[in-house]
Amino acid sequence: MSRSPRPRLSPFHTLSPLPHSSPLPTLLLLLLLSLHASLLRAPSLALALSQDAIGSILADGISFDGIGPGEDFGDYEERYGVSDEDEYNADAGDSGLMGVEGVSSEWDDEQPEAPMAGVLDVDDVTLPKVADGRSKLLLLFYAPWDRFSKEMVPIYKDVARSLASHTDVLLAKVDGDRYWKLSSRYDAASYPHLVYFDKDNKLGISYEGERTAQALVSYMLHGERRGPRLPAIQAAVEAFKAGSSGEQQEAAMAQAEALVAGMSATDKDVGQLYIKAMKAALAYGEDFLRKEARRLESSLEGGGLPPSTYTKFRQQIDIAKELDPSVANE
């Protein structure tokens, strides 16, 4: 006697004791199947959302569009031939109330470890032989991977060319990452770092001036800069410092603005820093320059700044000291 085939039960059969004529089991089944499909899609959805989020905060010039499931940026880099430094734009960060803008870091593919004409490559063995006090020596600590060290290369080359005829001046460089004991000895906590040696400073002193070829050449030939930065506006600067009222200081600032307008491009850039400092001091009170100088000093001590930004901050500090003697006395 043949048996009737046993009916195949739905996995959801036990959830529905209602008669088969009711539409509820079908609706419930569709609902559960829809939920199951959504759960299967969740990882892909999360990946898509994470890619969108990354893309929205990514630096200009790089797009993560097209990264597939299971890929990371390394796969994308290999596939499309881009790197995380493409179109890098170095921003100095908070420019402060004195108005230094973010500085674009468009460094060439200069390698600080490559030989440079007129520059010695030294290490922990050869450095004592050249830093013996018989010549003035400027030593550059760099790291091959550091973008700001690369920015320093063309500046250092210009300095070497300018000083080529001066036999009493030497330029040298050292890989501070490789010779880390030297970096530690000379307080090279970040790169690039410059140390100056002469007969009176055989142990070396950190150079904290502007990182421009002109400033470095002047330092090596004449020592630390003395006197006013822009003699042409010195009378206006003195009038601003001596002003006993806001009206007097505003008049001195107007005089400085008129003089700066007729300057060459390089002097005009520095002159504008004077004007911005004067305006900020008038707007935010007599204590402002001291506080701003402290903040900028802290930024310089922290390191990690491109040479152009380091120079701007150094200029601001010097101008603050010139405008407010209390800053210079700290």
Side-chain angles (χ1 to χ4, degrees):
M1 179 175 163
S2 62
R3 282 178 141 181
S4 301
R6 186 173 180 177
R8 300 182 68 180
L9 299 180
S10 163
F12 306 105
H13 178 78
T14 55
L15 301 178
S16 178
L18 300 177
H20 288 287
S21 59
S22 170
L24 289 180
T26 303
L27 292 175
L28 181 60
L29 176 61
L30 291 173
L31 179 62
L32 291 173
L33 288 174
S34 175
L35 178 62
H36 180 64
S38 298
L39 291 174
L40 288 177
R41 287 198 308 268
S44 300
L45 179 62
L47 177 62
L49 289 174
S50 65
Q51 290 175 1
D52 290 342
I54 293 172
S56 68
I57 63 173
L58 190 64
D60 293 340
I62 308 174
S63 172
F64 277 87
D65 294 342
I67 295 181
E71 287 187 324
D72 58 19
F73 182 69
D75 301 317
Y76 183 81
E77 178 179 6
E78 181 177 355
R79 181 147 53 95
Y80 290 100
V82 299
S83 73
D84 58 354
E85 291 182 348
D86 284 355
E87 299 187 22
Y88 174 77
N89 182 23
D91 192 331
D94 179 17
S95 62
L97 297 173
M98 285 168 70
V100 173
E101 302 297 334
V103 179
S104 178
S105 176
E106 298 176 352
W107 43 268
D108 296 327
D109 193 21
E110 302 266 17
Q111 300 301 323
E113 67 271 27
M116 295 184 202
V119 179
L120 302 171
D121 285 288
V122 297
D123 54 30
D124 50 0
V125 175
T126 57
L127 177 59
K129 298 177 182 179
V130 294
D132 56 4
R134 289 184 293 178
S135 300
K136 298 177 183 178
L137 171 67
L138 186 63
L139 175 63
L140 169 66
F141 284 84
Y142 67 85
W145 46 262
D146 178 57
R147 61 174 59 92
F148 301 145
S149 296
K150 294 180 180 182
E151 283 189 11
M152 196 68 198
V153 171
I155 298 172
Y156 216 52
K157 287 181 177 179
D158 284 346
V159 175
R161 282 192 289 267
S162 298
L163 297 175
S165 62
H166 295 270
T167 57
D168 61 333
V169 175
L170 295 176
L171 295 185
K173 59 187 176 74
V174 60
D175 184 342
D177 196 34
R178 180 178 180 183
Y179 298 103
W180 56 270
K181 289 184 178 180
L182 283 180
S183 293
S184 178
R185 184 187 307 168
Y186 293 104
D187 297 324
S190 62
Y191 305 106
H193 181 74
L194 291 159
V195 179
Y196 173 75
F197 302 83
D198 63 16
K199 60 184 178 61
D200 298 318
N201 297 292
K202 293 182 180 180
L203 298 179
I205 56 172
S206 294
Y207 170 80
E208 298 179 351
E210 299 173 15
R211 292 181 178 180
T212 64
Q214 181 182 4
L216 287 167
V217 169
S218 177
Y219 184 88
M220 295 302 290
L221 294 180
H222 310 298
E224 189 174 359
R225 182 187 63 82
R226 302 292 181 185
R229 180 177 298 277
L230 285 182
I233 65 169
Q234 187 60 23
V237 169
E238 292 300 327
F240 183 89
K241 292 162 60 176
S244 58
S245 67
E247 290 79 8
Q248 291 177 341
Q249 289 185 317
E250 286 178 3
M253 184 176 67
Q255 180 187 357
E257 285 182 301
L259 293 169
V260 169
M263 291 180 174
S264 64
T266 302
D267 286 347
K268 184 178 290 186
D269 288 342
V270 178
Q272 289 297 335
L273 291 181
Y274 273 95
I275 304 305
K276 289 176 180 178
M278 291 177 183
K279 287 181 177 179
L282 287 171
Y284 299 102
E286 60 182 15
D287 199 39
F288 167 77
L289 291 176
R290 185 167 69 254
K291 290 180 179 178
E292 186 70 352
R294 284 177 184 168
R295 188 188 72 83
L296 294 172
E297 288 279 12
S298 178
S299 296
L300 295 185
E301 290 171 3
L305 296 172
S308 53
T309 304
Y310 187 102
T311 295
K312 290 284 188 182
F313 284 8
R314 186 76 261 165
Q315 289 173 337
Q316 283 184 289
I317 294 167
D318 290 346
I319 289 170
K321 290 179 178 180
E322 193 173 341
L323 291 174
D324 185 350
S326 68
V327 178
N329 294 331
E330 287 194 348

